[in-house]
Amino acid sequence: MAPESRRCLAQERGEVRTRDLTDVGIPRCYLSRMCEEGLFVKVGYGRYRAAAYVEAI
C-alpha cells in the first residue's frame, strides 16, 4: 500500500479494528508499519486510532 493511501485511510477513519483493515485487503503487518510511521496509535487489543484524531481529543 502506498504511503499516500495509508495517510488517507488514517485521516478518514477515526478508529479501526484489525478486522476492518483485513476485510478491505490490508494485511495486519501494515498496522505495525502505520504505527511506526505515526499514522495510527494502538489504543487496545486490535483497536487503533488515527494519530491526528488522538491529538485532537
Side-chain angles (χ1 to χ4, degrees), residues 7-45:
R7 284 188 193 95
C8 289
L9 178 68
Q11 291 172 352
E12 79 180 33
R13 298 176 181 252
E15 184 171 321
V16 295
R17 297 175 300 164
T18 305
R19 181 179 177 180
D20 298 333
L21 299 176
T22 55
D23 285 349
V24 295
I26 299 173
R28 291 186 321 210
C29 63
Y30 278 30
L31 278 170
S32 59
R33 291 181 193 169
M34 288 189 262
C35 288
E36 289 172 3
E37 293 173 5
L39 297 174
F40 281 107
V41 175
K42 187 170 185 171
V43 294
Y45 182 78

